[in-house]
Amino acid sequence: MTLLGGWVAQRTGDRRHLVLGFAAGLMLGVVAFDLLPEALHQAPEEVHGVPQALLMFAAGFLTIHVVERAVAIHRGHEEEYAEHTHGQRPAGGHSHGHAHGRGRSGADGHQGVGLTAALALVSHSVMDGFAIGAAFQAGTTVGTVVAIAVVAHDFADGFNTYTITRLYGNNRRRALTLLVADALAPVTGAAITLLFPISEHLLGLYLGFFAGFLLYLATSDILPEAHSPHPSRTTLLCTLGGVGFMWLVIGFAG
């Protein structure tokens, strides 16, 4: 299912804005209907009146925000340095040094954010495997239900892993490598649970953190990118469709 989701994502062609809109909807649905409820269930303890899972949710959102701002500031400083170092631009053209400095730092910075996001999705899939293994430790029936739920939304995981990796300038080979890693991750996570028991509390804290991470990417990066070239109702409908799809998947799985 993970590989199928990635295959669909890379077959989009000039309908990229629709894919991004749908991906953002999937991510919002995962956060609202899957990650946050599970995080609150497993880490309900409060700190100064707020559940720990929600504190981790805010921490995840702010962490990726700080990382992206730091990358943007670093990129801006490199551009300014390149422009001053290489002097004034030739008449009727641009300084080669300035353009190179801007392109390299921009690409590297954005690729790093894309890789971080994709690796976070892979780690989330490992946690899905943990959930399957822990559920089977509780009983065959519970384990089967959880496994069905994970398989059902692995399509969205594969779709998002490939889309996010490519969105931030990474090449197709790297995106496919991360897609395969994401497909293997749940199996790996389930196998690890054979070695030791898992703390539900720590899993809940992680899910809260990852929910904030995904929410930031969906609202601050992917949705603006989806609407910038084609501000259309169709893109908006794709986003709503992504949210609705995850609602149906999680509802049936539950």
Side-chain angles (χ1 to χ4, degrees), residues 43-63:
E45 295 83 1
E46 296 184 354
V47 176
H48 199 59
V50 178
Q52 293 180 6
L54 291 184
L55 290 175
M56 292 300 292
F57 170 73
F61 188 97
L62 293 174
T63 296

Side-chain angles (χ1 to χ4, degrees), residues 32-243:
F33 310 139
D34 186 15
L35 296 180
L36 278 182
E38 188 66 22
L40 287 169
H41 175 71
Q42 296 190 15
E45 295 83 1
E46 296 184 354
V47 176
H48 199 59
V50 178
Q52 293 180 6
L54 291 184
L55 290 175
M56 292 300 292
F57 170 73
F61 188 97
L62 293 174
T63 296
I64 185 60
H65 175 63
V66 170
V67 169
E68 281 213 332
R69 288 302 89 204
V71 169
I73 292 171
H74 176 70
R75 185 167 63 247
H77 286 169
E78 282 199 358
E79 290 176 7
E80 183 180 357
Y81 173 77
E83 184 172 350
H84 286 299
T85 301
H86 293 282
Q88 297 182 351
R89 302 170 187 172
H94 295 281
S95 164
H96 293 292
H98 176 66
H100 176 69
R102 176 176 55 195
R104 181 179 59 187
S105 59
D108 289 349
H110 284 300
Q111 286 178 8
V113 172
L115 287 176
T116 300
L119 289 172
L121 284 166
V122 172
S123 66
H124 172 237
S125 293
V126 173
M127 294 298 176
D128 282 344
F130 283 176
I132 292 174
F136 271 106
Q137 290 178 13
T140 303
T141 302
V142 176
T144 301
V145 170
V146 171
I148 292 173
V150 170
V151 170
H153 82 252
D154 271 352
F155 176 88
D157 285 348
F159 190 97
N160 288 337
T161 298
Y162 186 88
T163 300
I164 289 173
T165 307
R166 294 288 281 154
L167 173 64
Y168 289 95
N170 292 281
N171 59 40
R172 183 172 178 270
R173 181 179 180 182
R174 185 174 292 174
L176 289 174
T177 300
L178 287 166
L179 178 63
V180 171
D182 193 35
L184 295 175
V187 180
T188 303
I192 291 174
T193 61
L194 299 175
L195 304 177
F196 57 86
I198 304 166
S199 167
E200 286 190 1
H201 181 72
L202 289 178
L203 182 59
L205 295 179
Y206 169 79
L207 291 177
F209 184 89
F210 183 64
F213 191 97
L214 274 192
L215 182 66
Y216 181 89
L217 292 180
T219 57
S220 298
D221 288 347
I222 294 181
L223 277 178
E225 180 72 16
H227 287 281
S228 59
H230 300 277
S232 66
R233 293 180 180 178
T234 308
T235 305
L236 177 59
L237 289 175
C238 285
T239 302
L240 296 176
V243 174

